Amino acid sequence: MRDEGLNYAARAARFERARDEEERRSARIARLRLATVLPGLGLIGWTVLGGGPSAAAAAGALLLLGFGALVVRHARIDQRVAWLDALRIVYTRADARVRRDWGALPPAVPPPGVDLAQHPYALDLDLFGRASLAQLLGPAATPAGAARLSAWLLEPAALTEIIARQQSVRALADAAEWREELRAHGVLTSGAGQAELDRLFGWAEGRRSFGPAFRGAVIALTLLIWVLLALKLSGLVNGNYWATPLTAGVVLSFALAKRIHESFNRAGAGERALARYAALFEHAAAAPRSADRLRTIADRLTAAGLSAHQSMHRLNQILGFAELRTGAAILHFPIQAVTLWDFHVAFALDRWRAQAGGRVRDWVEAVGELDALASLAAIAHDNPTWCTPVLGESALVQGIDLAHPLLAEGRRVGNDVSIGPPETVLLITGSNMSGKSTLLRAVGLNVVLAQAGGPACASAFTLPPIDLQASIRVQDSLELGLSYFMAALARLKAIVDAAEHPPDGRVVLYLLDEILQGTNSLERGIAVRGIVRHLLQARAIGALTTHDLAVASEPPLDAAARLVHFTETVDEEGRMSFDYRLRPGLATSRNALRLMELIGIRH
């Protein structure tokens, strides 16, 4: 499974070749269409206008029949081209995710309405943006999936929910082809963004456009037109009585044209992409069902005897009938006059939303949940050495061979990490660029993944339900008038408050990187010791990095700190290198001046 699943570049190239071949077939059929329609029209015109033989008209009719068949065939080939190109895009992105080629992946934008600057860890851990966790997991196939996945990353789930997601992720991890095809359907539906879906929801959940009395009147008017017309053509009546209901129908059509067409436009917002949602729902219904959550999602897509994909197919058919006004505009007026076509299409739409309209939002949300689970399953499949985290009650975070999930397999270095129990702190020291901040982010990102229901970048990873708090990337704010130092203080105050008032059933885990760098070493040391004292008294667990080795020997850290460090090596020619391996004890080396020399600055 690994060899087939991770050979994404080869599969992308294969689908690209297949797409190119289908495009060449499409071009050939386009030329054939032209070669049949023009002679066909010419032969019929010759017969009708120029007195040509009837055989010419028959030949022309056959050519036009062939043209019609070619139109159908051409549409199917173009659909095949779109599908193959969607698969090419999906496998190209999958290859980029494995290689951590961030420039080849779509950007991961944060969800609207979320202030990341006020979030306890989103900016610190690179949840969104370039080279982010959301970019590694995405792009999701649907707007609902992207929103659901973002919510999972930003807010930890309850223990029972995490276990349910883990079961689903394991089941979907083995369904590689199904997952990639889900993303291909997502590429094809990308034209239907959240705005288009919101318009569809508003229409589907709205009131009927016409009441039963009006529907009965239009049906009666239509029947009257055709009955009177049939009586006239059969010679049973002499007068053109059929013209009276026809005129009434035309007047009614003009009076209500704006209302009807607005209803059509709302129902068909992003129509081409929404038409693809029927295929997306059908594919979602074929998802594995070996986990309870997956069976629940499948039930939502077929609840109350309504199949999501069949209902969407029906909606697409009705909207196809509505296209008479634009697709064959020259025929629209006469057909509307004698059949009141648009009214009957509007009635069909009313019946559809009375039956299925109230379910559309839930169908989309169900597929969104499946989509988010599939995104987590994709990284589980692509990283078979990653583990399924174990959540327990002990206030201890432990990772074996734990590494940073955003680094490619050949670059990341795993370490055994243990944080906790309460009244202890993991104090990480080491020289510049040795890996301290990366280790904090590795811990934090794996906690986020674990509490979203995903895998962890470790051989084993255990943790309690966590309230994660981080101060790793502090930013000043010109808008708020905050200096770097004041912004850092505000963040630390929020972390201390969270530790002193933890959510029920959760252990506060803090990750602090070189805190309060914007002040002198004497005051910083006093402040660090005071903050750590508050966190220890609140029974939070956490890790702290520092360059100030003296703080380790002073209370409260002298009794509470478990010391680990990173170091570097310098070869005989003075070149510096790092192995990013965590070692016990306090760091003994410094390299700031050496780094200055390496970039050409003499001290």
Side-chain angles (χ1 to χ4, degrees), residues 516 519-530 548 550-551 554:
L516 300 178
T519 189
N520 63 79
S521 58
L522 177 61
E523 290 185 314
R524 182 173 66 245
I526 296 172
V528 167
R529 292 192 295 274
D548 188 354
V551 299
E554 300 174 357

Side-chain angles (χ1 to χ4, degrees), residues 254-275:
F254 276 108
L256 297 177
K258 181 178 180 181
R259 178 178 171 184
I260 288 178
H261 293 167
E262 283 181 352
S263 177
F264 289 173
N265 290 335
R266 290 181 65 197
E271 181 180 338
R272 183 174 180 183
L274 286 175

Side-chain angles (χ1 to χ4, degrees), residues 21-222:
E21 176 59 30
E22 291 295 315
E23 285 181 334
R24 287 190 287 269
R25 292 178 62 195
S26 176
R28 289 195 296 269
I29 289 182
R31 291 191 291 269
L32 282 174
R33 286 175 55 179
L34 191 63
T36 54
V37 67
L38 294 180
L41 292 173
L43 289 171
I44 291 175
W46 178 34
T47 303
V48 174
L49 301 176
S54 57
L62 286 174
L63 285 171
L64 291 182
L65 286 173
F67 169 76
L70 288 172
V71 168
V72 174
R73 179 64 175 160
H74 199 192
R76 290 175 179 172
I77 291 176
D78 284 348
Q79 288 177 348
R80 176 71 176 163
V81 168
W83 176 248
L84 291 170
D85 193 54
L87 287 170
R88 177 196 63 81
I89 291 171
V90 165
Y91 284 108
T92 299
R93 290 173 177 173
D95 178 63
R97 283 196 300 273
V98 170
R99 295 184 292 107
R100 307 302 194 264
D101 182 1
W102 307 110
L105 291 168
V109 298
V114 176
D115 185 359
L116 297 185
Q118 300 302 314
H119 194 270
Y121 56 80
L123 289 179
D124 301 273
L125 301 181
D126 300 309
L127 291 195
F128 301 96
R130 183 183 173 89
S132 65
L133 184 58
Q135 196 177 23
L136 176 66
L137 294 170
T142 63
R148 182 66 63 94
L149 189 59
S150 295
W152 289 357
L153 299 181
L154 290 168
E155 186 69 27
L159 179 58
T160 55
E161 174 67 16
I162 293 171
I163 293 172
R165 291 180 196 170
Q166 287 178 339
Q167 293 170 349
S168 300
V169 166
R170 285 195 294 268
L172 293 175
D174 293 331
E177 185 174 355
W178 180 89
R179 281 188 290 95
E180 304 307 339
E181 288 185 358
L182 176 70
R183 279 183 156 152
H185 283 292
V187 172
L188 294 177
T189 59
S190 58
Q194 192 58 51
E196 287 77 14
L197 289 175
D198 287 340
R199 289 181 64 191
L200 176 64
F201 297 153
W203 169 81
E205 296 165 355
R207 298 172 58 187
R208 287 190 174 193
S209 300
F210 302 101
F214 182 84
R215 291 197 301 274
V218 169
I219 292 171
L221 191 61
T222 307

Side-chain angles (χ1 to χ4, degrees), residues 226-242:
W226 281 94
V227 168
L228 293 175
L229 182 59
L231 291 173
K232 169 67 176 178
L233 294 175
S234 65
L236 296 177
V237 297
N238 293 325
N240 292 320
Y241 301 114
W242 58 273

